[in-house]
Amino acid sequence: MKVAKFGGSSVASVEQLEKVYQIIAADSARRFIIVSAPGKRYSHDIKITDLLINYAECCLTKQSVTEVQQAILNRYLDICKPAGLENTFGQIKQAVLNLVDLPTDNEQLVYDTFKASGEDNNAHLVAAYLTSKGIPSEYLSPKEAGIVLEHSPHGAMINMGGKELSPDILAKQVTYVIPGFFGFSEDGQLCTFSRGGSDISGSLVAANIKADLYENFTDVDAIYCANPNLIPDCPTLKELTFKEMRELSYSGFGVLHDEALIPTFYANIPVVIKNTNNPSSPGTMILPDSHATEKRVVGIAADSGFTNIYLSKYLMNREFGFGHSVLNILTEFDLQYDHMPSGIDDISLIMRQDQLTPDIEKRLIERFKTVLHVDEIKVTHHLSMIALVGEGMKQNIGVASRATHALSINQVNIEMLNQGSSEVSIFFGVNEADEDRAVKALYEEFFVM
Amino acid sequence: MKVAKFGGSSVASVEQLEKVYQIIAADSARRFIIVSAPGKRYSHDIKITDLLINYAECCLTKQSVTEVQQAILNRYLDICKPAGLENTFGQIKQAVLNLVDLPTDNEQLVYDTFKASGEDNNAHLVAAYLTSKGIPSEYLSPKEAGIVLEHSPHGAMINMGGKELSPDILAKQVTYVIPGFFGFSEDGQLCTFSRGGSDISGSLVAANIKADLYENFTDVDAIYCANPNLIPDCPTLKELTFKEMRELSYSGFGVLHDEALIPTFYANIPVVIKNTNNPSSPGTMILPDSHATEKRVVGIAADSGFTNIYLSKYLMNREFGFGHSVLNILTEFDLQYDHMPSGIDDISLIMRQDQLTPDIEKRLIERFKTVLHVDEIKVTHHLSMIALVGEGMKQNIGVASRATHALSINQVNIEMLNQGSSEVSIFFGVNEADEDRAVKALYEEFFVM
């Protein structure tokens, strides 16, 4: 069995739904479909989710809701009418209008419920649509699909003890359409993920039914090996491992939610990124590490906005627990570091610049001075981190040599180099001004024959 | 003014003292002389310090002391007699014999006092010797030389608030001979350094008198740029900076006590390592960083016996304070790490293997698993760390490239690479079996034209 998730743009119009139908019809293993709420049809279009947020606001502030209700209903009508789904539209209309009757004492719950209705109504719609096209389909609630979540202020948390589906559901010869983006906690509370969370819903269902494959249909053909805005005709990746995908997370690879891969990662289920608008393209397969067939450098990720705080103290390495004391102070300041390379008498903290206001930075430096009695502190802003990623790096003599050579002949000074923590990546710290040149140099070295 | 320290082998015999005299006579700026106790004259000789430890043992255990007293006195007599210093010998003899009258209730103090007498008597001897040769010289006690120490069970600690010398002492036109290795705390308690601590005494005196140079006379011509046992005709270093010296401390550069450089480092006083037996050789100059004149790779240090503990956890980098939690556990186990490189979802701890018994390692791994819920732990033993060191690395595009290329063509797999923490070094982790090949490869690349 396969789980297929269709994002907002894939279900934004009846034309898009036709493509979804074709995709599902082409493979009878696609029996669990997760849908987002209808997204944008063109660049200035408004997503249903955003309309619903506006709708909730109007309700909470006792403003008129007529206009926004109409805008929402029009989006559904634009799909239902040409598809001949008048009955379904009637049900959706009632559901949308009923939202005004929700108690408004729990503001967060109001927003969550309004937003979740976008996916919920759309799952009903898509099920009806597929049925009308000859694929017997039924709406399946997140609860029936075994999704159990935990509430958290920053978006629902995955409860890893996901549930198996009932044998009756599994046995029934229908295609199930499940709303993404939300679910319920054990005690019945509605929980929503942060934006893009339908990816997580699909991943959870894939794990729950022990799917053979989780297909994530989006609007790009595949994942690029580098930033396509920087590299003309940048090649896409046929496959990469979960580990590689994570190491590439620094940039340009934001196709999937980080959390979205957790359930499939732990359930050892491959994930494929495909394009609803070009389903014949093979897409990018994300494989459990052990399934990787190609051992090579797969990608280059880069991100700017890093700061390096360099601490030096004579005989530092004779001082027990110096690094620990450094991290105690970071924790005290609620700061997170990305890398902490150390020499004999020095240690560097490479961290996201946006955490450090000038005031925080000043107080942090002061604290390092007074608590750690360091001899020297140097702060370097505007660094970029570049990750060269690939299982091919493992035990591969010469990757570091080729990479540093490529940077060197392109006049890129390496401020930091970190290899060996991860077996599938090398990190380079360079000046932001050198970032693009560095990425191009590495691309030329490893991807151009 | 210069401070000159002469180690045990430099003052082991009257022939050696003649060399010391020649050195001091050659430069009138050498006015503060620090001496160790007479050391070995040949490889199976016994140092006076070891005889004194034996003497203390005999006293504490009420055994006969006659034999060991005689052995000690013979060493001094062997110097005093040919030098015609009968009076001095008489005083030393009395001092050595008087040691038996010390109260024995504080065992540590007994050992310290016996050992310190080796340097103390020798300072008297050398002062008398120099005077007899025509250089007016006087014994100067550690206290008069401004040495103030703090007692600690692992050897005396430097009290950084060293004292200036009295104007009377500074004004007197004599050469001062100061015993190394010991001093007194503010409240008058005798404190001794760990072995080799005369280097520290000299450094403290240099800082106290704001010397222009601290000359450390030993029995090697200079510091080698790599392990001379591995590299035939290995070149020596004309100069290096304090920072470089520290980064090289991994191995083969144990000429000076680590602590010995602290006072001169903070006082910005250059240090030179010279050979008593070949004083015309320029030796190796250790300069404050700012004084460095040559920007190049200066040396290669290597040491074996490292272990890498690799921890991997999906979405680790989204978990606040993960690295901190890792170090909390290390501290709990009283373990120290050398490097902690990190990727996106993994972190490696590179540490000295000798800290980890199989039992400690097992319990540590267990703790990482239960507290941090890591997905994977891998332990790799038998790693060597190699440091490529030099101020020349700073802002020098291409050093990493040349180094990795050299390792690569010599079939050395780089398990870890860490550049950028220190501005003057790059660290490589390799398998112990590859260590020698790696050092040779780097030597060929950076030191052979």
Side-chain angles (χ1 to χ4, degrees):
Chain A
M1 280 185 299
K2 295 177 183 173
V3 171
K5 179 257 165 183
F6 293 91
S9 66
S10 303
V11 291
S13 66
V14 73
E15 292 76 19
Q16 290 298 90
L17 280 192
E18 170 65 21
K19 294 177 189 167
V20 170
Y21 157 70
Q22 294 289 353
I23 289 166
I24 294 167
D27 186 346
S28 62
R30 290 174 176 140
R31 281 198 47 218
F32 288 81
I33 313 301
I34 281 81
V35 293
S36 298
K40 292 184 180 187
R41 293 158 295 186
Y42 42 87
S43 68
H44 292 293
D45 199 10
I46 303 175
K47 293 178 180 181
I48 279 205
T49 304
D50 289 319
L51 292 171
L52 287 164
I53 290 170
N54 185 223
Y55 184 15
E57 262 165 15
C58 292
C59 284
L60 286 168
T61 56
K62 315 283 180 207
Q63 293 176 59
S64 161
V65 296
T66 327
E67 203 179 324
V68 69
Q69 278 179 339
Q70 203 50 57
I72 293 165
L73 292 176
N74 282 346
R75 286 295 311 267
Y76 287 115
L77 191 60
D78 283 350
I79 299 170
C80 290
K81 205 171 165 189
L85 300 173
E86 284 78 9
N87 277 353
T88 306
F89 178 71
Q91 287 155 10
I92 290 175
K93 182 174 178 180
Q94 206 49 55
V96 171
L97 298 180
N98 285 349
L99 285 169
V100 293
D101 299 329
L102 272 182
T104 54
D105 47 335
N106 182 340
E107 209 170 280
Q108 185 60 51
L109 185 61
V110 171
Y111 277 113
D112 283 351
T113 311
F114 274 64
K115 285 191 286 178
S117 79
E119 275 74 12
D120 203 56
N121 287 324
N122 202 39
H124 283 288
L125 194 166
V126 173
Y129 180 80
L130 292 175
T131 304
S132 76
K133 300 285 284 187
I135 299 176
S137 300
E138 284 184 16
Y139 167 92
L140 193 70
S141 73
K143 193 178 170 189
E144 290 169 309
I147 295 177
V148 184
L149 303 179
E150 277 169 34
H151 205 272
S152 123
H154 304 298
M157 307 256 289
I158 298 170
N159 181 323
M160 286 304 295
K163 301 214 168 156
E164 291 189 14
L165 277 63
S166 84
D168 290 352
I169 291 175
L170 288 172
K172 204 163 174 182
Q173 289 304 308
V174 295
T175 295
Y176 290 109
V177 184
I178 304 155
F181 181 60
F182 73 98
F184 296 88
S185 62
E186 291 274 14
D187 58 0
Q189 194 187 359
L190 178 83
C191 312
T192 63
F193 293 113
S194 55
R195 284 238 172 175
S198 295
D199 289 338
I200 312 179
S201 304
S203 184
L204 283 168
V205 174
N208 290 346
I209 68 162
K210 299 180 181 59
D212 302 307
L213 181 65
Y214 171 33
E215 299 178 303
N216 196 296
F217 284 90
T218 173
D219 52 6
V220 295
D221 268 2
I223 295 175
Y224 290 97
C225 73
N227 180 355
N229 298 324
L230 192 65
I231 311 286
D233 303 318
C234 185
T236 57
L237 291 168
K238 209 176 126 247
E239 62 172 49
L240 74 170
T241 66
F242 281 104
K243 255 191 194 163
E244 289 170 338
M245 180 82 180
R246 281 290 300 151
E247 298 288 332
L248 287 170
S249 69
Y250 258 153
S251 74
F253 297 85
V255 177
L256 271 191
H257 239 240
D258 273 342
E259 283 91 349
L261 292 176
I262 298 180
T264 42
F265 171 78
Y266 284 109
N268 255 324
I269 297 169
V271 178
V272 67
I273 308 289
K274 295 195 72 152
N275 191 348
T276 305
N277 307 313
N278 185 18
S280 63
S281 161
T284 298
M285 189 73 101
I286 305 164
L287 295 165
D289 304 341
S290 52
H291 296 197
T293 56
E294 297 183 47
K295 301 279 182 202
R296 57 187 170 106
V297 173
V298 296
I300 304 161
D303 204 2
S304 56
F306 288 89
T307 289
N308 180 18
I309 300 180
Y310 166 87
L311 308 173
S312 142
K313 182 178 183 180
Y314 201 67
L315 291 189
M316 181 189 287
N317 89 326
R318 303 279 298 258
E319 209 168 305
F320 186 81
F322 192 90
H324 191 202
S325 307
V326 169
L327 292 192
N328 279 337
I329 292 175
L330 276 203
T331 302
E332 185 188 304
F333 276 78
D334 230 7
L335 294 169
Q336 208 156 2
Y337 75 92
D338 276 64
H339 299 280
M340 189 170 75
S342 53
I344 296 288
D345 282 350
D346 33 36
I347 204 163
S348 285
L349 290 163
I350 291 159
M351 53 174 78
R352 296 265 175 193
Q353 210 155 294
D354 56 13
Q355 303 177 92
L356 296 168
T357 62
D359 175 59
I360 292 175
E361 186 177 306
K362 202 180 140 202
R363 286 189 294 119
L364 180 67
I365 302 296
E366 210 42 60
R367 197 100 179 93
F368 281 140
K369 277 187 190 154
T370 51
V371 176
L372 303 175
H373 307 289
V374 292
D375 296 332
E376 190 186 357
I377 299 188
K378 265 191 291 196
V379 181
T380 312
H381 293 291
H382 305 300
L383 292 176
S384 287
M385 295 298 301
I386 297 173
L388 183 67
V389 177
E391 296 271 347
M393 235 148 261
K394 211 186 276 178
Q395 302 296 331
N396 191 338
I397 291 178
V399 172
S401 168
R402 287 174 63 192
T404 51
H405 180 70
L407 295 176
S408 163
I409 59 171
N410 283 280
Q411 297 299 312
V412 175
N413 198 44
I414 302 169
E415 301 286 330
M416 189 210 91
L417 199 170
N418 172 357
Q419 185 204 337
S421 42
S422 161
E423 291 176 322
V424 299
S425 66
I426 304 181
F427 285 89
F428 299 93
V430 303
N431 285 320
E432 281 179 358
D434 292 341
E435 178 187 318
D436 288 357
R437 205 162 70 253
V439 171
K440 282 180 189 162
L442 293 172
Y443 174 78
E444 291 288 329
E445 175 65 31
F446 289 99
F447 292 91
V448 179
M449 294 311 122
Chain B
M1 280 185 300
K2 295 177 183 174
V3 170
K5 178 257 165 183
F6 293 90
S9 66
S10 303
V11 291
S13 66
V14 73
E15 291 76 19
Q16 289 299 89
L17 279 192
E18 169 65 22
K19 294 177 189 167
V20 170
Y21 157 71
Q22 295 289 352
I23 289 166
I24 294 168
D27 186 346
S28 61
R30 289 174 177 140
R31 280 198 48 218
F32 288 81
I33 312 301
I34 281 81
V35 293
S36 297
K40 292 184 180 187
R41 292 158 295 186
Y42 42 87
S43 68
H44 292 293
D45 199 9
I46 304 174
K47 294 177 180 180
I48 278 205
T49 304
D50 289 318
L51 292 171
L52 287 163
I53 291 170
N54 185 223
Y55 184 15
E57 262 165 15
C58 292
C59 284
L60 286 167
T61 56
K62 316 282 180 207
Q63 293 175 59
S64 162
V65 296
T66 328
E67 202 179 326
V68 68
Q69 278 179 340
Q70 202 50 56
I72 293 165
L73 293 176
N74 281 345
R75 285 297 310 268
Y76 288 115
L77 190 61
D78 283 349
I79 299 170
C80 290
K81 205 172 165 189
L85 300 173
E86 285 78 9
N87 277 353
T88 306
F89 178 71
Q91 286 154 10
I92 290 174
K93 181 174 178 180
Q94 204 51 54
V96 170
L97 298 180
N98 285 349
L99 286 169
V100 293
D101 299 329
L102 272 182
T104 54
D105 46 336
N106 183 339
E107 209 170 281
Q108 184 61 50
L109 185 62
V110 171
Y111 278 113
D112 283 350
T113 311
F114 273 65
K115 285 191 287 178
S117 79
E119 275 74 12
D120 202 56
N121 287 324
N122 201 39
H124 283 288
L125 194 166
V126 173
Y129 179 80
L130 292 174
T131 304
S132 77
K133 299 284 285 188
I135 300 176
S137 301
E138 284 185 14
Y139 167 92
L140 194 70
S141 75
K143 193 178 169 189
E144 289 169 309
I147 295 177
V148 184
L149 303 179
E150 277 169 34
H151 206 271
S152 124
H154 304 298
M157 308 256 289
I158 298 170
N159 181 323
M160 286 304 295
K163 302 214 169 156
E164 291 189 13
L165 276 64
S166 83
D168 290 351
I169 291 175
L170 288 172
K172 204 164 173 183
Q173 289 304 308
V174 296
T175 295
Y176 290 108
V177 184
I178 304 155
F181 181 60
F182 74 98
F184 297 88
S185 63
E186 290 274 14
D187 59 0
Q189 195 186 0
L190 178 84
C191 312
T192 63
F193 293 113
S194 55
R195 284 241 171 174
S198 294
D199 289 337
I200 313 180
S201 304
S203 184
L204 284 168
V205 174
N208 290 346
I209 68 162
K210 300 180 181 57
D212 302 306
L213 181 65
Y214 171 33
E215 299 178 304
N216 196 296
F217 283 90
T218 172
D219 52 7
V220 295
D221 268 3
I223 294 175
Y224 290 97
C225 73
N227 180 355
N229 298 324
L230 192 65
I231 311 286
D233 303 317
C234 185
T236 56
L237 291 167
K238 209 177 127 247
E239 62 173 48
L240 74 171
T241 66
F242 281 105
K243 256 191 193 164
E244 289 170 338
M245 180 82 180
R246 281 290 300 151
E247 298 288 332
L248 287 170
S249 69
Y250 258 154
S251 72
F253 297 86
V255 177
L256 270 191
H257 239 241
D258 274 342
E259 282 91 348
L261 292 176
I262 298 181
T264 42
F265 170 79
Y266 284 109
N268 255 324
I269 297 169
V271 178
V272 66
I273 308 289
K274 297 194 70 151
N275 191 349
T276 305
N277 306 314
N278 185 17
S280 63
S281 161
T284 298
M285 188 74 99
I286 305 164
L287 295 165
D289 304 340
S290 52
H291 296 198
T293 56
E294 297 183 48
K295 301 279 182 201
R296 58 188 170 104
V297 173
V298 296
I300 305 161
D303 205 2
S304 56
F306 288 89
T307 289
N308 180 18
I309 300 180
Y310 166 87
L311 307 173
S312 142
K313 182 178 184 180
Y314 201 66
L315 291 189
M316 181 189 287
N317 88 326
R318 303 279 298 258
E319 209 169 305
F320 186 82
F322 192 90
H324 191 202
S325 306
V326 169
L327 293 193
N328 279 337
I329 293 174
L330 276 203
T331 302
E332 186 188 304
F333 276 78
D334 230 8
L335 295 169
Q336 208 156 2
Y337 76 93
D338 276 64
H339 300 280
M340 189 169 76
S342 53
I344 296 289
D345 283 350
D346 33 35
I347 205 164
S348 285
L349 290 162
I350 291 159
M351 54 174 78
R352 297 265 175 192
Q353 209 155 295
D354 56 13
Q355 303 177 93
L356 296 167
T357 63
D359 174 60
I360 292 175
E361 186 177 306
K362 202 179 140 202
R363 286 189 294 120
L364 180 67
I365 302 297
E366 210 41 60
R367 197 99 179 93
F368 281 140
K369 277 188 191 154
T370 50
V371 176
L372 303 175
H373 307 288
V374 292
D375 296 332
E376 190 186 356
I377 299 188
K378 265 191 292 196
V379 181
T380 312
H381 294 292
H382 305 301
L383 292 175
S384 287
M385 295 298 300
I386 298 173
L388 184 66
V389 178
E391 296 271 346
M393 235 148 262
K394 210 187 278 179
Q395 302 296 332
N396 190 338
I397 291 178
V399 172
S401 168
R402 288 173 63 192
T404 51
H405 180 70
L407 295 177
S408 163
I409 58 171
N410 283 281
Q411 297 298 312
V412 175
N413 198 44
I414 302 169
E415 301 286 330
M416 189 210 92
L417 199 170
N418 172 357
Q419 185 203 337
S421 42
S422 161
E423 292 177 321
V424 299
S425 65
I426 304 181
F427 285 89
F428 300 93
V430 303
N431 285 320
E432 280 179 358
D434 292 341
E435 177 187 319
D436 287 356
R437 205 162 70 253
V439 170
K440 282 180 190 162
L442 293 172
Y443 174 78
E444 290 288 329
E445 175 64 32
F446 290 98
F447 292 90
V448 179
M449 295 310 122

